[in-house]
Amino acid sequence: MGLTEHQKYGGGPKHNLPVGSEAGDCFKMLFTNDKSEKICNDTNKYAEFVKSATIDKWEPIGVKKWRWKPIEDIEELFSFIAIILIMGIAKLPRIKYYWSYNPMLGNDKVKRTMARDRFVDIYRFFYLSDRENEVSPNDPSFYMMQKLDLSCHVCGLISRCIFNPIPLYL
């Protein structure tokens, strides 16, 4: 179904982006600055939690092995998410292949966007919820998807603000 047909039944975009806007403009409507800063903070907190929970493994090796550098600006988070989106479109068998110098494997956009080690660090600690407010696995009200609840709820609200779905009764 095309966009005009979609709009004929009451669905379609309902945002005020100007004609000729880029995909990044729509992306930034979904990932607002507030939501992005929260993801950065939650990811940084989770990295510190892992470090403190596993400090005995890091001390004998030395501090250099713990190379986490906090995400300080949302542009770095947007770059990380952009690489994740590229990986969903141009699939390769291993993450490291996106940074390969082999022209059959490497992705120039990915290589220019972020260093592989930095991407892997963010990927390792990427966290979408505040772990201090999570229910313990021992609690009877625990369920695995609790970490995504707030993010899914917010994305759903924002999506409904910028796009009208087709009514279900069609």
Side-chain angles (χ1 to χ4, degrees):
M1 176 181 304
L3 182 60
T4 53
E5 213 175 314
H6 188 79
Q7 290 171 325
K8 176 176 142 184
Y9 294 108
K14 59 175 183 177
H15 55 75
N16 58 358
L17 287 175
V19 173
S21 295
E22 296 182 6
D25 298 327
C26 188
F27 173 83
K28 287 181 179 179
M29 291 177 74
L30 289 171
F31 285 89
T32 62
N33 285 353
D34 291 342
K35 181 66 180 153
S36 299
E37 286 174 13
K38 182 176 179 348
I39 293 171
C40 289
N41 289 335
D42 291 343
T43 299
N44 291 336
K45 279 187 197 175
Y46 182 65
E48 287 306 313
F49 165 75
V50 170
K51 182 180 180 183
S52 65
T54 60
I55 195 71
D56 56 326
K57 294 179 183 173
W58 298 106
E59 280 181 355
I61 300 169
V63 179
K64 285 189 178 185
K65 284 288 184 181
W66 182 261
R67 65 175 185 221
W68 173 255
K69 179 184 139 237
I71 303 173
E72 294 179 357
D73 64 355
I74 59 174
E75 290 305 315
E76 186 175 32
L77 176 69
F78 289 162
S79 296
F80 171 79
I81 293 171
I83 292 171
I84 293 286
L85 293 172
I86 289 170
M87 289 176 170
I89 295 166
K91 295 180 189 279
L92 292 175
R94 303 253 188 280
I95 287 177
K96 68 181 183 178
Y97 292 163
Y98 291 92
W99 285 267
S100 173
Y101 291 107
N102 181 337
M104 297 296 287
L105 295 174
N107 185 305
D108 288 334
K109 274 201 187 267
V110 169
K111 286 190 267 188
R112 284 193 311 264
T113 302
M114 182 179 288
R116 184 190 70 205
D117 287 348
R118 181 60 176 155
F119 175 84
V120 170
D121 285 348
I122 295 173
Y123 186 79
R124 181 179 297 138
F125 300 114
F126 189 68
Y127 217 74
L128 294 174
S129 68
D130 185 358
R131 54 168 321 286
E132 293 165 3
N133 295 325
E134 291 176 3
V135 177
S136 164
N138 301 329
D139 191 301
S141 64
F142 173 81
Y143 71 106
M144 288 298 291
M145 297 302 289
Q146 70 178 335
K147 295 177 183 180
L148 298 176
D149 275 354
L150 181 60
S151 295
C152 288
H153 177 71
V154 169
C155 282
L157 289 175
I158 294 170
S159 295
R160 285 190 290 278
C161 289
I162 63 174
F163 198 83
N164 283 326
I166 293 178
L168 292 175
Y169 52 85
L170 288 179

